[in-house]
Amino acid sequence: MDIGIYPPHANVLAAVQLKKFKDTAKWLNDHTLFYKTKFRKADVDPTDIKSLDDIKKLPFTTKDELKALPNSEICWHPELTLRKHTSSGTTGMPTASCFIDVDLKVMGTLGARSLKLCGCEEGMTLQVNYGYGFFTGGLIFDEAARRLGMKILPQGAAPIDQCIAAMQRFQPEVWCCTPTYAKRVCYYIGDNGVDISWRIGSHGAEVWTNETRKLIEEGLGPDYKAYDVFGLCEKGGPFVGHECTAQDGTHIWTDVFYMEILDENGEDVSEGEIGELVLSHIYTGGYSTIRYRTGDKVKLVAENDCVCFASGYPRIQILGRKVKDEFKVGGTFLIRSDLENVAVNTTRKLHELFGAEVGEFRVELSSLEGTTDVRYCVELTDPDNEEQKSVVKSVVRDISRHMINRSFPVKVCPMDTYERSLGKTKLIVDKRNEETQ
């Protein structure tokens, strides 16, 4: 297919999208039992699509539907399959996906675009600390860097001291890993006084906030810039979109993925408004899906108009999970991402005050008479130190009241109460389902 490191100009984008969408929907209807059945049940025919507005006539595709497919139907081109991957499984059973040659070429090229977008150049060195394996992150970053002409340090999700040692030895300018991993490296550097060579960071695979960005950039020094990379296994892994150097929203590559942001009534939102992200492949790959409900709650930052070469490609801000994102506490509702922000800011403040004497911080959710009970949990090297416990609890309560106008009980735990992760970390420990089983 015709795709290059530099995307087509925005003034031809709508025509490109319509033709590609029609071709993809027709192919899926003609060649896959899943979509042929889905379209028939919805009493729609993909050949009736005459405009982009007609796309809303087609039914949604959901994660649960894809998980329910038998293994024999997971790939649309079983004879052409080169690799099979899964999602990380942080929200349940991992979702499977498969890649044929065109998928690898597309995602590699979109990755090269994305890295170029945040300042990477041919000849630079990229240190990869995403995992290699079923999770798509490391392998797709590898392919993207190769297509841009970069050198690669394919280290994977290594222990923090090994990551630092590799950086010091090989002096890479560019770094990619999850925000969680980057934060751990920041704490290590703060405790050990390490100079870094990294100047550009591509961080994703989990929802993160501007507070996390600030923590990472301050921890790694004034020359370091942290950029968001957005993707999902169901759409080929990373590089569905990426931030540019303006750091004002994530550009979505809409010449490859048709994007809808829909309100609760299924209508398009306007700039500045929030809705659920719905994505469609507009090419036929190993596991192309259309009108896929990502479950991500996003804000449309701008339809076009940016200082970078991707001007004309819409920018979004990923705010969190739409599904199960809100829950009732007492008589009011809380948003999960607000509690995650409390966790990020509290962790940073406690490390400033106590350094390595503080471990992990979590928010525990449990069931309480039809609503949700919330508790903050902090690991300390000496959980019996009453003076330190008093200060810690006071700090946690003050930050919580400042950020969400309320606080919750604080529990102090010994070190290693919570699992350490080299990838994604679940800041919120949800025990509600466990208690109902």
Side-chain angles (χ1 to χ4, degrees), residues 23-96:
D23 291 346
T24 302
K26 184 178 185 305
W27 189 95
L28 290 171
N29 184 62
D30 294 343
H31 294 88
T32 72
L33 178 62
F34 175 74
Y35 275 106
K36 182 179 291 186
T37 303
K38 177 179 277 290
F39 292 154
R40 186 182 298 122
K41 286 182 177 179
D43 194 25
V44 294
D45 188 334
T47 60
D48 293 336
I49 298 174
K50 307 300 182 185
S51 68
L52 292 176
D53 290 337
D54 289 338
I55 289 172
K56 287 185 172 56
K57 298 176 181 177
L58 299 179
F60 292 115
T61 304
T62 67
K63 182 185 286 283
D64 287 342
E65 288 177 317
L66 298 182
K67 286 182 177 181
L69 283 175
N71 286 335
S72 61
E73 292 186 38
I74 285 176
C75 186
W76 308 145
H77 302 270
E79 73 285 356
L80 301 178
T81 299
L82 298 178
R83 290 212 305 253
K84 291 186 177 180
H85 286 277
T86 68
S87 63
S88 61
T90 52
T91 60
M93 186 181 79
T95 305

Side-chain angles (χ1 to χ4, degrees), residues 374-393:
V374 180
R375 177 175 294 185
Y376 296 135
C377 306
V378 187
E379 291 182 350
L380 294 178
T381 54
D382 182 8
D384 296 322
N385 184 328
E386 294 299 328
E387 182 178 352
Q388 188 179 58
K389 282 168 60 176
S390 177
V391 174
V392 165
K393 290 183 178 183

